[in-house]
Amino acid sequence: MVTHPPAPLSPLKGVHDGIVYITCWGGGQLCTMRDTFTEFGGSMLANKYASDVRARNISAAALDEDGCIVEDHNHECFHKLVNVMRLRAIVRRPDFRGTVGNSKPSPMPAHLAPAMTEMLNYLAIDHERFFSALDSPL
């Protein structure tokens, strides 16, 4: 029986095949489709990741040792934001005919609200619109 050594891990490329690979300090990795970042209009994230030009030009200096793009945000807040954008993207697809649970994101923990508001303001996402999305079905 011939055994071969495992193939070396190939680092991610930050943005690859329409998927963005991101890490926030202390919070692990996440990945999502580039189009997900357009769910809150012309935000900084949409400009950074949904733009073909910007996504192709993310430098190696912006990547961590695993090849993920580093976002310097509270990881709980950033993950919550991405999950809300994912849910919005799913229920707004023209071919979507089902439900996603109750199609309502889980509530924002009170202790994270100030950090979330600060992050949303920095990213040019209307925090009132974001928080209202948490309070009603998408």
Side-chain angles (χ1 to χ4, degrees), residues 77-126:
C77 293
F78 193 79
H79 284 237
K80 178 76 162 177
L81 172 61
V82 170
N83 285 335
V84 168
M85 289 190 291
R86 287 174 176 153
L87 182 58
R88 287 171 60 103
I90 290 169
V91 300
R92 291 177 179 199
R93 285 186 3 212
D95 61 339
F96 181 76
R97 300 284 182 254
T99 61
V100 178
N102 64 4
S103 298
K104 184 176 175 183
S106 61
M108 186 75 201
H111 73 281
L112 289 178
M116 179 61 93
T117 299
E118 183 178 320
M119 181 185 74
L120 293 171
N121 287 336
Y122 175 79
L123 295 172
I125 296 172
D126 182 338

Side-chain angles (χ1 to χ4, degrees), residues 13-42:
K13 303 297 186 234
V15 177
H16 183 69
D17 288 338
I19 298 173
V20 182
Y21 299 86
I22 299 174
T23 189
C24 288
W25 298 120
Q29 301 171 349
L30 67 88
C31 61
T32 196
M33 300 297 293
R34 287 177 49 206
D35 291 345
T36 302
F37 293 102
T38 63
E39 286 301 313
F40 283 104

